[in-house]
Amino acid sequence: MSKYRIGLIGLGGMAQAHIRWMSAFTDRMELVAVNDVNEEALARVGEEQGIAPEKRYASYAALIADPDVDAVVSVTPNNVHADIVSLCLAASKPFLAEKPFTRIFEEAVPLLAQYEQQPVAAMIGFTYRFTPAFRYARELVRDGKLGQIRSFSSQYLQGWGAPQYNVGYNWRFDKSVTGTGTLGDLGSHMIDMARFLFGEFEELSAQLHTIVPERLDSRTGEPVKIEVDDFASFQARMTGEVRGIFQTSRNAIGSGNQHEISIYGDTGTLHASTEDPNRIVWIREEDGQLARTVLNVPKHCEVTQYEQFLAMLDGGQPDGLPGFMDGYRNQQVLDAIIRAAESKTIVQL
Ligand SMILES: NC(=O)c1ccc[n+]([C@@H]2O[C@H](COP(=O)([O-])OP(=O)(O)OC[C@H]3O[C@@H](n4cnc5c(N)ncnc54)[C@H](O)[C@@H]3O)[C@@H](O)[C@H]2O)c1
């Protein structure tokens, strides 16, 4: 069976994870081209991965146009997500593009029109669909283990942005590059998880806040005013009258990468967390007693992102693959959250 020839755009932190994930499938896919605007990163990763010099591209447009590239993996900052997706659609090149789908919703709208004209196999990097505990939670919810689902609480917390760490100004704080702060960064994952588990957002209210108002730019030595959130909370009504509350922060000291959800149904409760990704807590009444069981996630819920990416490239439609429309709808919900927070009103979707 021939190998898919992959072109990788953006060679920073998260690209390292993609390279590692790809390397589990060397019999089916091969990294053949790379691109970064940072010449040092381009040369270094090109060398490490044994990429031919002529396939180390200075422009992502050239990489996408390369007939020797069968599929694209895009791991750049948010300001170029839309352009890369648009070029992949125009070239009919399957892709895996990182979240958030676009920087702002206005960039997602023309992409939808383009996709409807010419659909292309696409995966968006909503990685937590591949956390075994979350996938198992979806199965248990669908199997009716909790009875009718009434509500849930979701949080995605990191601590690296807290004032005491003095993290300097970088693209994640630059509104013109990132669009939003922790909302699009971590909040997009919570939104995707809620959609994965419960369906669509129907109405919501929200608050966005910037806890650390300025950060030092190491290039100028000057403080820069921060125009994106580092704390976001929202509450929503979803399909089937399921109600959820959400919080995300970059200032939660002690939280490394803590994404978790508690789900409450008529006959029980589930807790699933990245802190314990292969187990799930199930609470219910049994023989008149409250019973709490820690369930091990079954093997069939251990689906990986690249397993599904490969299945998608093979023409399959794997269960729960985060596709183009998941990216688009996610961006629509992010936009509704911004509108709700700015207007201090409840927004319908
Ligand atoms: N799915 C996840 O769990 C997850 C986790 C982390 C990051 N991400 C996403 O991955 C993306 C990248 O994040 P990161 O942490 O790797 O950032 P990073 O800053 O570490 O790396 C970004 C890389 O892109 C390069 N780049 C910037 N502009 C470019 C352009 N125009 N063309 C080509 N390359 C360009 C930079 O030089 C850098 O090497 C973001 O969209 C982020 O939201 C997803």
Side-chain angles (χ1 to χ4, degrees):
M1 199 178 271
S2 67
K3 289 185 188 182
Y4 294 107
R5 298 166 299 175
I6 309 291
L8 178 62
I9 302 176
L11 305 173
M14 190 57 191
Q16 294 306 313
H18 283 274
I19 290 171
R20 200 173 60 248
W21 293 335
M22 237 180 264
S23 70
F25 296 94
T26 45
D27 54 331
R28 296 293 326 278
M29 55 175 76
E30 184 183 6
L31 185 59
V32 298
V34 288
N35 154 252
D36 202 294
V37 285
N38 179 329
E39 287 177 15
E40 184 280 322
L42 187 59
R44 178 173 37 80
V45 178
E47 208 58 34
E48 282 166 6
Q49 297 303 316
I51 307 297
E54 68 276 16
K55 301 290 183 188
R56 300 178 192 175
Y57 287 106
S59 118
Y60 57 70
L63 179 145
I64 294 166
D66 184 341
D68 293 337
V69 169
D70 300 317
V72 169
V73 174
S74 168
V75 200
T76 64
N78 308 350
N79 58 328
V80 284
H81 286 190
D83 195 34
I84 290 168
V85 167
S86 177
L87 289 169
C88 287
L89 291 173
S92 283
K93 216 152 256 196
F95 61 92
L96 191 180
E98 267 305 345
K99 43 55 62 176
F101 186 58
T102 52
R103 183 179 58 108
I104 49 173
F105 182 58
E106 285 71 16
E107 293 175 346
V109 174
L111 293 181
L112 178 62
Q114 206 184 339
Y115 178 75
E116 283 172 345
Q117 280 265 306
Q118 183 165 307
V120 173
M123 184 179 210
I124 309 303
F126 293 120
T127 319
Y128 295 95
R129 292 191 181 207
F130 305 98
T131 299
F134 291 149
R135 199 161 272 259
Y136 191 33
R138 175 171 176 257
E139 183 175 297
L140 296 175
V141 164
R142 289 184 167 199
D143 287 352
K145 195 98 165 167
L146 304 183
Q148 189 173 343
I149 304 301
R150 300 294 184 173
S151 67
F152 65 94
S153 70
S154 167
Q155 57 178 2
Y156 191 168
L157 306 174
Q158 295 183 345
W160 58 269
Q164 67 187 32
Y165 301 126
N166 288 320
V167 170
Y169 189 70
N170 63 51
W171 72 260
R172 283 190 155 79
F173 301 110
D174 181 347
K175 191 171 183 176
S176 68
V177 176
T178 178
T180 65
T182 194
L183 175 65
D185 190 14
L186 310 184
S188 63
H189 283 299
M190 291 196 297
I191 292 165
D192 183 66
M193 189 46 53
R195 291 188 61 257
F196 185 55
L197 290 164
F198 309 117
E200 295 300 340
F201 282 70
E202 293 183 346
E203 69 173 25
L204 56 81
S205 59
Q207 287 183 48
L208 298 177
H209 180 57
T210 308
I211 296 171
V212 181
E214 53 184 36
R215 294 184 183 263
L216 206 61
D217 187 338
S218 61
R219 290 164 303 187
T220 61
E222 295 294 323
V224 181
K225 184 176 181 309
I226 304 301
E227 291 176 351
V228 294
D229 58 281
D230 53 18
F231 174 87
S233 65
F234 45 103
Q235 53 178 333
R237 178 172 57 75
M238 302 192 61
T239 309
E241 297 291 312
V242 177
R243 286 169 161 81
I245 58 168
F246 302 78
Q247 72 160 332
T248 178
S249 175
R250 290 172 165 167
N251 295 272
I253 292 170
S255 295
N257 192 46
Q258 187 180 353
H259 183 191
E260 53 202 16
I261 190 160
S262 297
I263 307 168
Y264 304 97
D266 279 349
T267 60
T269 293
L270 287 180
H271 300 294
S273 174
T274 53
E275 302 282 287
D276 196 1
N278 293 302
R279 299 192 303 171
I280 191 165
V281 178
W282 175 38
I283 301 167
R284 75 282 176 203
E285 284 277 337
E286 222 169 68
D287 303 327
Q289 301 256 336
L290 209 53
R292 183 182 188 278
T293 311
V294 180
L295 301 169
N296 288 318
V297 175
K299 269 271 169 263
H300 70 266
C301 291
E302 290 177 16
V303 181
T304 69
Q305 191 170 342
Y306 268 71
E307 206 175 298
Q308 285 210 339
F309 181 44
L310 195 52
M312 182 192 88
L313 295 177
D314 283 340
Q317 293 186 319
D319 175 46
L321 177 138
F324 184 95
M325 287 312 296
D326 293 304
Y328 178 82
R329 293 243 160 79
N330 195 287
Q331 205 63 41
Q332 207 166 31
V333 176
L334 288 171
D335 186 62
I337 290 169
I338 296 165
R339 285 187 285 122
E342 284 176 353
S343 64
K344 299 186 194 297
T345 60
I346 296 172
V347 167
Q348 314 287 327
L349 282 108

